Amino acid sequence: MRTSDCLKTIKPYMFVEINRKRDELIARGHDVISLSVGDPDASTPEYIVEAMKAFVADPSCQHYPSYYGLPEFRVAAAKWMTRRFGLELDPDTELLTLNGSKEGLAHLHNAFVDPGDYVLVPSIAYSVYESGALLRGGKAYRLPMNESNGYLADFESVPAEVLKRAKIMFLSYPNNPTGAVAPPVYFDRAIEFCLEHDILLCHDNAYCDISFDGYRAPALLERPHAKDCAIEFFSLSKPYRMTGWRLGFCCGNEEAVQALAKVKSNIDSGVFNAVQRAGIVALEGPQDCIVDMCCEYQYRRDVMVETMNSIGLECKAPKATFYVWAKVPPAYTSASFCEKALNSAHVVLTPGSGYGPDGEGFVRISLTSPTERIVEAARRLKECM
Ligand SMILES: *Cc1c(COP(=O)(O)O)cnc(C)c1O
């Protein structure tokens, strides 16, 4: 058999390889602490699990779901957007249920990218923005993103010949992996830029509710004219600790939402209705599970930031996301530091270089392990330095 040329242009998913190394050490009997993948350690809040049990048994949940998402879920998500951001969205035309936001982000390219087209992707980014384009025979143009521009990807410098064939610009703040947040003026400029060049602006807002020190992350859709050019992605995975359930939604510009809906209706058959109904319970239930968890992440963040700085890995305390982005000491690369942490401390970190060219020289430390494990990982890292 012969696989596609497109397939050859994408790398194996980074965490597949990292998890393989982790499992190898575990198999050899080592006590490995994984601070790699961003998957909340605590279980899904009880009230969501309990509700789900009843929905599974309900025959109305056992048939094919709607391609666009359960109407009641779309209404609940639209109401959540109103409560959370003060936005009015039409749940019938401007909002779509997703099998987790990764699925929607990956499939969006099918609706916009033809072979040879460009997508604009920050030079440190969630890999799905790029791989979705490569699988379509498209190309990714990397927007410089580094400490000196405050990790606000620089789209002003894109050459004219790239702009002519650019179809989507991806941004994501609060940012995975850097923890950076964006000021409203940055969003305004991005909207202006995308309107000017007829580009879809895609904002991935998976971390809007994981924030600290009183910071409250906005939606890009709150900005004037955003709906004329933008689509925004939200996920129930991180705030409600539902990563395994696969539920998210996108909303915003009707043409973009409907284009993605057309793609998806030809590929998948929607999200299990029981999961969508549990999602309604999550969005409408008590939200203190998020507040409590953020307090815990904040404590872990402070432990890690303090330790990292004390052993020569410079880092700032992020205002949002559950990641610490730390600069490795001059003698190391991203990969060689991860190797050292893994072999000497049995701590799994993620190399910054895996997120793109500007990530080299950094590691991402995920705070989604139990607090005592974070403390233990910090102790071991300190010892091995
Ligand atoms: C976790 C994450 C997502 C959400 O993933 P789901 O598919 O909804 O679980 C999206 N974008 C980024 C940047 C993430 O880190």
Side-chain angles (χ1 to χ4, degrees), residues 68 92-95 253-263:
Y68 304 106
D92 286 328
T93 57
E94 296 177 325
L95 198 144
N253 181 273
E254 178 178 341
E255 193 185 343
V257 169
Q258 292 311 314
L260 179 57
K262 184 178 176 187
V263 169

Side-chain angles (χ1 to χ4, degrees), residues 28 53 66 75 94 166 192 208 216 260 267 288 296 330 363:
R28 282 195 262 136
K53 288 181 185 168
S66 153
V75 168
E94 296 177 325
E192 207 178 305
C208 62
R216 199 167 158 77
L260 179 57
I267 292 180
D288 26 323
E296 199 63 37
V363 289

Side-chain angles (χ1 to χ4, degrees), residues 48-63 245 272-278:
I48 302 171
V49 176
E50 281 307 314
M52 180 69 178
K53 288 181 185 168
F55 297 142
V56 170
D58 181 341
S60 77
C61 290
Q62 293 163 1
H63 300 278
W245 299 56
F272 186 17
N273 277 336
V275 168
Q276 294 189 70
R277 288 176 66 183

Side-chain angles (χ1 to χ4, degrees), residues 2 6 99 101 119 175 204 215 233 269 307 359 376 382:
R2 291 162 299 150
C6 293
N99 291 270
S101 55
V119 297
N175 184 256
D204 179 0
Y215 175 73
F233 286 70
S269 294
T307 305
E376 169 63 10
K382 201 163 188 163

Side-chain angles (χ1 to χ4, degrees), residues 104-285:
L105 288 161
H107 283 142
L108 185 65
H109 301 82
N110 290 276
F112 285 87
V113 179
D114 289 310
D117 283 347
Y118 277 99
V119 297
L120 307 180
V121 178
S123 68
I124 302 174
Y126 191 50
S127 62
V128 179
Y129 312 147
E130 177 179 60
S131 53
L134 298 179
L135 285 171
R136 295 271 315 139
K139 292 181 270 194
Y141 183 87
R142 292 285 189 162
L143 307 170
M145 173 171 171
N146 45 49
E147 260 183 310
S148 66
N149 60 25
Y151 294 107
L152 298 173
D154 172 20
F155 46 82
E156 311 279 357
S157 58
V158 182
E161 67 274 18
V162 172
L163 277 178
K164 260 188 264 161
R165 296 210 62 176
K167 294 294 194 64
I168 312 175
M169 177 161 88
F170 289 91
L171 296 178
S172 180
Y173 297 96
N175 184 256
N176 169 14
T178 65
V181 298
V185 290
Y186 177 76
F187 286 158
D188 288 343
R189 186 57 203 120
I191 291 163
E192 207 178 305
F193 174 84
C194 286
L195 283 171
E196 187 183 331
H197 297 289
D198 197 20
I199 295 170
L200 171 68
L201 177 53
C202 174
H203 189 239
D204 179 0
N205 211 341
Y207 294 93
C208 62
D209 280 333
I210 311 294
S211 63
F212 316 116
D213 309 326
Y215 175 73
R216 199 167 158 77
L220 179 127
L221 288 174
E222 286 175 42
R223 308 309 305 161
H225 312 297
K227 235 202 249 180
D228 297 338
C229 66
I231 184 171
E232 190 155 27
F233 286 70
F234 295 89
S235 171
L236 279 75
S237 290
K238 313 294 163 56
Y240 302 106
R241 314 196 296 264
M242 292 174 74
T243 47
W245 299 56
R246 314 309 305 131
L247 185 61
F249 62 93
C250 68
C251 55
N253 181 273
E254 178 178 341
E255 193 185 343
V257 169
Q258 292 311 314
L260 179 57
K262 184 178 176 187
V263 169
K264 278 174 54 59
S265 64
N266 279 284
I267 292 180
D268 66 67
S269 294
V271 175
F272 186 17
N273 277 336
V275 168
Q276 294 189 70
R277 288 176 66 183
I280 298 172
V281 171
L283 292 173
E284 294 183 342

